[in-house]
Amino acid sequence: MSQTQQAIYAAKRKARRFAVQGVYEWQMSHNPVHEIEARTRAENAMHKVDLNYYHELLTQIVADHEALDALLIPVLDREIDALDGVELATLRLGAYELRQHLEIPYRVVLDEAIELAKHFGGADSHKYINGVLDRLAQVLREAEKQQD
């Protein structure tokens, strides 16, 4: 992987981190997304973040959360309201990427979500995130999974 590709990958990873925090904040406070984004940009060093991707993730996940939840509900083993807020934000992000970003291999989507869960979630939440998103990938990325 070239240095440029590594920088692009790192910038997207940082965008996901800020996005999952923003989605979590929105879930807890229902503050307007534009306020969450403006405050995040003002309070953090964002020069190495893919700002366009961060904006897309934050705004589109919140705007489309009901449709994302509808995708997740059949692959959950509990009620969506019983999920931890960090788990829900991470699952919504993973579901969004699986559905909207077919150029990102499903394994990368899962790996990124697992890393987010390890960083922000509870002790074993990464295992749960992996299982749920793997089941969702079976639905949304069936052909890609069969090629593995």
Side-chain angles (χ1 to χ4, degrees):
M1 186 182 304
S2 74
Q3 207 168 7
T4 303
Q5 288 172 317
Q6 287 177 342
I8 291 169
Y9 181 78
K12 284 200 181 304
R13 176 172 270 186
K14 289 174 184 173
R16 287 182 186 98
R17 280 192 173 205
F18 282 113
V20 83
Q21 291 174 66
V23 171
Y24 175 81
E25 179 181 339
W26 174 80
Q27 291 170 176
M28 296 296 123
S29 68
H30 292 285
N31 289 336
V33 174
H34 70 276
E35 288 179 11
I36 295 169
E37 183 174 2
R39 186 177 52 262
T40 299
R41 287 181 181 223
E43 294 177 356
N44 295 281
M46 305 283 284
H47 62 283
K48 291 187 177 182
V49 175
D50 183 333
L51 293 174
N52 290 331
Y53 200 55
Y54 163 67
H55 174 78
E56 175 193 342
L57 290 173
L58 180 59
T59 59
Q60 295 306 303
I61 291 168
V62 170
D64 210 20
H65 72 278
E66 290 174 350
L68 296 171
D69 291 355
L71 291 171
L72 289 166
I73 288 169
V75 295
L76 295 174
D77 66 351
R78 61 188 85 156
E79 295 295 319
I80 202 160
D81 295 338
L83 291 172
D84 172 80
V86 172
E87 288 176 346
L88 181 56
T90 305
L91 287 170
R92 284 174 168 165
L93 187 144
Y96 177 81
E97 286 191 316
L98 284 171
R99 186 187 70 184
Q100 295 301 122
H101 285 280
L102 301 179
E103 78 281 4
I104 303 172
Y106 85 92
R107 288 187 181 276
V108 172
V109 173
L110 269 61
D111 288 345
E112 289 294 315
I114 290 166
E115 289 305 314
L116 288 167
K118 285 179 180 178
H119 186 76
F120 295 115
D124 285 335
S125 68
H126 67 280
K127 295 175 185 175
Y128 184 70
I129 298 293
N130 183 47
V132 170
L133 291 179
D134 190 59
R135 287 190 295 277
L136 185 58
Q138 188 65 44
V139 174
L140 296 178
R141 303 276 190 100
E142 182 180 6
E144 184 182 352
K145 280 198 74 150
Q146 286 178 352
Q147 289 177 355
D148 275 357

